[in-house]
């Protein structure tokens, strides 16, 4: 009975978190608001989300990247929902692709710093997986008040055009449809694509609009004559197709995509998909509401993998990490998961759940190497507080064993995918394939927490630093100490939130646990498009 009550309590807590995710998504999907959407419709244009919905196959799922990008940022500029661009992985005429569509209801589709970062993420996914990329362009260009944060650096606006060129050189299809404004440097994006469309009356492309042309060279000309559909399809030859309206442009893209030839596949193994034997819905009640409590991570895995069949590697060794082979939606995967159970070793020692010890790090390094040898994609399930500290661990070489795991994971040539289930703290984030280690996709459950260390420990460290500083400036009593601690804990808690991570694109999405299988399956399917083979080499690796 107690176990059932605990399960129900956990389930209620996680479902409340999911309700919050859905409410926030509903707000994000309104973009610049209902009035801006009505204005877009009055101009005879679809919204970015309507364009994508019409373009993608309705009988296949779609996966939005960066829906919460820029949330809570740029408030002094009026905000920038979803960073002003919608990015979705989906299928067009049965072919998997990625679509990036400017949202003109948000600051006329202007590019904020996070807009650039999100577009670069879309191109990164296309490049890594040899996935066709479709750009639906409707943008006023760089947001000038923040031009210094998006214009000149390596990962800024110019990188977009560099990537256009690299993608094309690798034979990765890029198609652009200009469905609104396309000005200044942004004009290069569609024209550096392999094929470009433009919509009559609403689409325009020019390096400088009519007002700037008048100011610069004194020429009087209207925007349509300067860079409209007739001009670029019949005079300049800049664009390849002229569309009557948004839907006509979408139909043209579908026609192109439907005639593309197939490309060589990587050959990742897939059998007939099977649902887990154990009830997937039980995922909601298995994660303790109190994130410090232990739980049986194997229960999570058995509700994610086909037929609930998980073939463990070194089952009796290094038990704070679970490693093994399984299938997800038919795809073969190698899983590395933090085990949150309290472990009693054969020597009678206690090992904390969610902590990486020397033996578990060594096991994971060997397992990752095996997956690379067998060409099996890797899935990391994170709920990690970090590596074990203390004299026993240091004398036992925890740094060396941790380095082996990080080395093997970093140099892995098979696709990697990461799901942050709970904690993602410190070097544990790194070893378990955090954002810095190039996972093809990285997503978080609403229960995720990302930080350099747990909130309680961090608050105490930060408190001591602040106390030392403030004590030099005057009186510092118990009341002041408590107020300071409360402020520190609130700030740190906010920064640990999965929304904080998602707003900065440290994760691609916050997902319902029930959608995990779909995300992983879509990720492996897209990775299977890239047939380039690389040798697995860890360099100098101490054993």
């Amino acid at each position: 009975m107690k176990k059932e009550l605990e399960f129900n309590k956990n389930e209620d807590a996680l479902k409340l978190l999911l309700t919050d995710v859905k409410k926030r998504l509903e707000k994000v999907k309104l973009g610049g608001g209902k009035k801006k959407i009505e204005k877009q419709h009055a101009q005879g244009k679809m919204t970015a989300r309507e364009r994508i919905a019409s373009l993608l196959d309705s009988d296949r799922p779609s996966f939005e990247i960066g829906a919460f990008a820029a949330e809570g940022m740029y408030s002094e500029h009026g905000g920038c929902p979803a960073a002003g661009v919608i990015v979705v992985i989906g299928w067009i005429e049965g072919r998997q692709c990625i679509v990036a569509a400017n949202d003109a209801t948000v600051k006329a589709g202007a590019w904020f710093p996070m807009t650039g970062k999100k577009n670069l993420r879309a191109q990164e996914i296309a490049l890594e997986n040899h996935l066709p990329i479709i750009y639906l362009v409707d943008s006023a260009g760089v947001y000038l008040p923040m031009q210094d944060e998006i214009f000149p650096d390596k990962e800024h606006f110019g990188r977009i055009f560099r990537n256009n060129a690299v993608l094309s050189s690798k034979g990765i299809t890029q198609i652009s449809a200009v469905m609104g404004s396309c000005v200044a440097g942004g004009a290069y994006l569609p024209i550096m694509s392999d094929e470009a469309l433009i919509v009559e009356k609403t689409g325009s492309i020019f390096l400088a609009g009519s007002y700037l042309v008048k100011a610069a060279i004194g020429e009087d000309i209207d925007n349509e004559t300067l860079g409209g559909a007739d001009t670029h399809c019949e005079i300049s030859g800049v664009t390849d197709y002229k569309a009557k309206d948004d839907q006509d442009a979408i139909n043209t893209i579908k026609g192109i995509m439907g005639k593309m030839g197939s490309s060589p596949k990587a050959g990742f193994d897939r059998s007939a998909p099977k649902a887990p034997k154990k009830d997937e819905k039980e995922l909601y009640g298995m994660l303790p509401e109190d994130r410090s409590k232990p739980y049986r991570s194997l229960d999570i895995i058995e509700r994610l993998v086909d037929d609930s069949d998980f073939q463990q590697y070194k089952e009796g060794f290094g038990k704070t990490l679970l490693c093994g082979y399984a299938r997800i939606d038919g795809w073969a995967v190698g899983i590395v998961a933090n085990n949150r159970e309290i472990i009693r070793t054969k020597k009678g020692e206690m090992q904390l759940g969610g902590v990486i010890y020397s033996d578990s790090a060594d096991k994971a390094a060997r397992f990752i190497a095996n997956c690379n040898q067998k060409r099996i994609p890797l899935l990391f399930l994170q709920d990690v507080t970090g590596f074990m500290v203390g004299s026993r661990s240091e004398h036992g070489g925890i740094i060396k064993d941790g380095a082996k795991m990080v080395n093997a994971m970093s140099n892995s040539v098979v696709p990697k995918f990461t799901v942050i289930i709970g904690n993602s703290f410190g070097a544990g984030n790194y070893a378990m394939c955090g954002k810095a280690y190039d996972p093809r996709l990285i997503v978080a459950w609403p229960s995720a927490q990302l930080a350099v260390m747990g909130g309680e420990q961090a608050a105490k460290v930060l408190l001591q630093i602040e106390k030392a500083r403030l004590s030099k400036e005057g009186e510092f009593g118990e009341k002041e100490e408590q107020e300071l601690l409360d402020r520190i804990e609130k700030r740190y808690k906010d920064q640990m939130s999965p929304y904080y991570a998602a707003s900065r694109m440290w994760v691609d999405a916050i997902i319902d646990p029930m959608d995990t299988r779909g995300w992983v399956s879509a990720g492996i399917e897209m990775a299977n498009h890239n047939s380039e083979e690389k040798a697995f080499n860890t360099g100098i690796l101490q054993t």
Side-chain angles (χ1 to χ4, degrees):
M1 187 67 177
K2 183 181 178 182
K3 190 174 181 181
E4 186 177 330
L5 286 171
E6 189 72 20
F7 181 95
N8 292 338
K9 184 181 176 184
N10 295 338
E11 183 179 35
D12 289 345
L14 188 49
K15 286 187 174 179
L16 277 173
L17 293 176
L18 279 171
T19 298
D20 186 42
V21 172
K22 290 171 184 174
K23 284 181 179 177
R24 290 179 185 233
L25 276 175
E26 286 172 8
K27 186 177 179 182
V28 164
K29 288 179 180 179
L30 288 174
K34 292 181 180 179
K35 288 185 178 179
K36 293 288 179 67
I37 292 172
E38 289 168 3
K39 183 180 178 182
Q40 185 108 337
H41 288 161
Q43 294 171 342
K45 296 159 65 175
M46 296 177 174
T47 65
R49 291 186 181 277
E50 288 167 346
R51 289 164 177 167
I52 291 174
S54 181
L55 181 61
L56 296 181
D57 295 348
S58 59
D59 61 343
R60 297 294 301 268
S62 60
F63 303 87
E64 184 170 353
I65 301 293
F68 293 115
E71 183 179 90
M73 302 171 70
Y74 313 131
S75 55
E76 67 275 26
H77 299 278
C80 188
V85 61
I86 316 303
V87 174
V88 175
I89 298 168
W91 283 259
I92 300 173
E93 297 297 303
R95 298 178 185 277
Q96 196 178 24
C97 60
I98 187 162
V99 182
N102 299 114
D103 186 351
T105 71
V106 179
K107 293 288 192 295
W111 288 59
F112 283 68
M114 283 305 301
T115 316
K117 186 170 185 176
K118 190 168 173 179
N119 274 274
L120 287 171
R121 177 63 179 139
Q123 289 184 320
E124 179 183 43
I125 291 171
L127 192 59
E128 285 180 331
N129 301 287
H130 287 201
L131 212 59
I133 182 167
I134 316 298
Y135 308 99
L136 306 181
V137 184
D138 192 349
S139 171
V142 166
Y143 184 64
L144 289 177
M146 302 189 76
Q147 63 86 28
D148 62 318
E149 296 183 44
I150 189 172
F151 168 63
D153 209 348
K154 181 179 178 181
E155 299 298 330
H156 283 178
F157 195 56
R159 189 77 173 181
I160 303 286
F161 314 135
R162 176 264 185 194
N163 287 350
N164 285 142
V166 172
L167 283 157
S168 187
S169 75
K170 290 182 175 292
I172 301 168
T173 296
Q174 299 174 90
I175 302 171
S176 286
V178 179
M179 307 171 107
S181 297
C182 184
V183 300
Y188 285 101
L189 184 148
I191 310 312
M192 291 191 73
S193 300
D194 303 311
E195 295 185 87
L197 303 77
I198 186 168
V199 178
E200 288 183 312
K201 306 304 179 185
T202 57
S204 59
I205 309 170
F206 33 66
L207 294 180
S210 56
Y211 291 118
L212 187 53
V213 167
K214 175 69 175 176
I217 63 174
E219 181 183 4
D220 279 312
I221 190 168
D222 63 89
N223 283 339
E224 185 66 24
T225 306
L226 181 66
D230 289 345
T231 295
H232 286 311
C233 287
E234 298 167 18
I235 299 175
S236 72
V238 165
T239 50
D240 306 306
Y241 307 91
K242 181 164 61 173
K244 295 177 182 178
D245 52 28
D246 283 3
Q247 190 60 56
D248 189 29
I250 287 165
N251 292 341
T252 302
I253 295 170
K254 288 183 176 182
I256 297 168
M257 290 292 292
K259 298 175 184 68
M260 284 174 54
S262 60
S263 56
K265 297 294 187 286
F268 300 125
D269 186 68
R270 191 180 197 186
S271 62
K274 295 180 181 178
K277 273 185 182 176
K278 298 188 176 180
D279 189 355
E280 289 178 74
K281 291 180 181 178
E282 291 178 351
L283 286 170
Y284 295 132
M286 291 186 163
L287 208 64
E289 182 183 11
D290 180 350
R291 301 302 305 114
S292 65
K293 284 187 176 181
Y295 63 92
R296 190 170 180 264
S297 300
L298 188 59
D299 289 336
I300 301 284
I301 294 172
E302 288 174 341
R303 283 155 182 82
L304 292 176
V305 302
D306 289 14
D307 212 29
S308 299
D309 182 17
F310 181 57
Q311 184 180 355
Q312 280 207 57
Y313 172 81
K314 289 184 179 288
E315 182 176 354
F317 179 77
K319 292 184 178 182
T320 64
L321 276 176
L322 299 176
C323 300
Y325 303 107
R327 290 187 182 275
I328 290 182
D329 199 33
W331 294 104
V333 293
I335 296 175
V336 180
N338 300 111
N339 186 11
R340 286 301 307 270
E341 289 183 283
I342 302 295
I343 304 299
R344 183 178 292 279
T345 69
K346 291 291 185 182
K347 297 178 182 178
E349 299 168 347
M350 298 294 289
Q351 292 187 342
L352 299 174
V355 177
I356 302 174
Y357 290 77
S358 287
D359 54 357
S360 49
D362 178 75
K363 176 171 85 169
R366 292 172 183 273
F367 179 71
I368 290 166
N370 282 343
C371 287
N372 275 271
Q373 185 185 54
K374 297 177 177 67
R375 300 181 69 247
I376 299 174
L378 283 159
L379 172 62
F380 293 84
L381 300 177
Q382 285 196 17
D383 193 351
V384 58
T385 51
F387 284 85
M388 191 58 193
V389 297
S391 60
R392 183 188 293 272
S393 291
E394 298 293 359
H395 296 171
I398 184 67
I399 295 175
K400 180 182 71 174
D401 290 317
K404 282 193 294 185
M405 180 179 174
V406 172
N407 195 322
M409 182 273 301
S410 300
N411 286 296
S412 211
V413 295
V414 295
K416 298 173 292 192
F417 303 90
T418 302
V419 180
I420 304 175
I421 289 173
N423 299 330
S424 180
F425 294 160
N429 169 281
Y430 298 165
M432 293 293 293
C433 196
K435 178 67 173 179
Y437 293 85
D438 301 320
R440 299 292 178 97
L441 293 172
I442 177 169
V443 297
W445 288 7
S447 46
Q449 299 182 119
L450 288 81
V452 73
M453 65 177 72
E456 187 178 340
Q457 302 95 307
K460 288 177 180 177
V461 173
L462 291 167
L463 177 65
Q464 294 307 312
I465 294 170
E466 284 293 289
K467 274 179 65 177
R469 183 180 68 82
L470 293 171
S471 293
K472 294 176 182 178
E473 299 175 5
E475 291 290 327
F476 194 81
E478 288 184 12
K479 182 182 177 183
E480 289 80 7
E481 181 175 330
Q482 187 59 49
E483 288 175 351
L484 179 58
L485 180 60
D486 291 342
R487 288 200 305 272
I488 290 171
E489 285 182 338
K490 183 184 183 305
R491 184 176 74 237
Y492 202 83
K493 184 180 178 182
D494 290 343
Q495 292 177 354
M496 288 170 66
S497 161
Y499 297 105
Y500 193 90
S503 71
R504 288 151 181 81
M505 295 291 292
W506 300 342
V507 297
D508 292 317
I510 301 172
I511 69 167
D512 186 325
M514 288 285 289
D515 293 335
T516 305
R517 282 169 53 82
W519 273 87
V520 174
S521 177
I524 299 176
E525 183 169 345
M526 74 182 188
N528 201 38
H529 287 84
N530 186 350
S531 61
E532 291 180 358
E533 289 198 28
K534 297 177 183 177
F536 176 61
N537 186 346
T538 59
I540 297 173
L541 183 62
Q542 291 179 304
T543 57

